[in-house]
């Protein structure tokens, strides 16, 4: 909850200091180092409040996902380097596709931000932060319950799918 609220504050600050879309992109990249799902939720919430900046918020969410994929490759390399060879191709494709989309939305951001009057309001909104916290708690509970029951390999696949809804790590 604190992290999602923090992303909103960082995005608010960077959007005020740095030109709108670029500030949201920087916030997305920084947030992608920690939790891209939380960044995406925060960006989606911000775009509802400021529909004129939807390209900027989309750019920030995509930037978070690109950074997240790089982060996962690094984490896998540090923990078990053999894992990198098994799944890095998919993550590199994800990074390449993400960069293409990020550049597309960044171009739309640059064009749309020139004429936008930033009326961002308060950067703190507890509803999206609490919703993310609730989702995170449910996924953690379900994953622990599945481990306690002792599910087989299909159970771990299901567990990975469930846990991936909140964070890929």
């Amino acid at each position: 909850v604190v992290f999602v609220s923090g992303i909103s504050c960082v995005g608010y600050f960077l959007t005020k200091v740095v030109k709108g879309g670029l500030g949201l992109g920087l916030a997305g990249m920084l947030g992608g180092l920690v939790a891209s799902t939380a960044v995406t939720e925060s960006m989606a919430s911000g775009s509802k409040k400021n529909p004129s900046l939807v390209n900027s918020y989309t750019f920030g969410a995509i930037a978070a996902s690109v950074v997240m994929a790089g982060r996962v490759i690094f984490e896998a390399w540090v923990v078990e380097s053999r894992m990198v060879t098994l799944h890095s191709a998919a993550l590199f494709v994800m990074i390449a596709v993400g960069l293409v989309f990020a550049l597309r939305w960044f171009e739309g951001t640059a064009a749309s931000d020139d004429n936008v009057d930033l009326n961002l309001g308060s950067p703190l909104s507890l509803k999206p932060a609490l919703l993310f916290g609730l989702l995170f708690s449910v996924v953690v509970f379900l994953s622990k319950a599945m481990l306690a029951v002792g599910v087989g390999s299909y159970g771990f696949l299901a567990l990975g799918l469930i846990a991936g809804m909140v964070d890929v790590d």
Side-chain angles (χ1 to χ4, degrees):
V1 172
V2 171
F3 182 70
V4 172
S5 296
I7 290 170
S8 295
C9 287
V10 169
Y12 177 86
F13 174 75
L14 288 172
T15 304
K16 289 287 193 178
V17 174
V18 181
K19 187 175 180 179
L22 185 56
L24 289 169
L26 289 172
M29 285 187 268
L30 290 172
L33 289 171
V34 181
S36 60
T37 306
V39 172
T40 301
E41 193 282 325
S42 179
M43 295 292 172
S45 177
S47 71
K48 281 184 181 179
K49 294 176 189 171
N50 250 322
S52 61
L53 293 174
V54 69
N55 283 336
S56 301
Y57 284 107
T58 302
F59 171 58
I62 293 171
S65 295
V66 169
V67 169
M68 173 275 307
R71 183 191 78 220
V72 169
I73 291 171
F74 177 75
E75 289 170 350
W77 176 74
V78 168
V79 175
E80 176 55 71
S81 60
R82 291 179 296 169
M83 236 180 113
V84 173
T85 59
L86 297 175
H87 78 287
S88 61
L91 289 168
F92 281 121
V93 169
M94 188 174 154
I95 290 170
V97 171
L99 286 172
V100 168
F101 278 93
L103 289 173
R104 184 258 181 246
W105 262 280
F106 180 71
E107 290 171 359
T109 294
S112 66
D113 284 349
D114 290 339
N115 302 318
V116 170
D117 178 30
L118 291 176
N119 183 16
L120 297 176
S122 172
L124 291 177
S125 178
L126 282 180
K127 183 179 176 185
L130 290 172
L131 186 62
F132 179 79
L134 177 65
L135 176 64
F136 186 84
S137 299
V138 167
V139 170
V140 169
F141 175 79
L142 288 174
S143 66
K144 297 291 184 187
M146 290 178 74
L147 286 172
V149 171
V151 295
S153 57
Y154 287 112
F156 280 107
L157 178 60
L159 175 64
L161 291 171
I162 292 168
M165 291 179 359
V166 175
D167 196 357
V168 298
D169 300 315

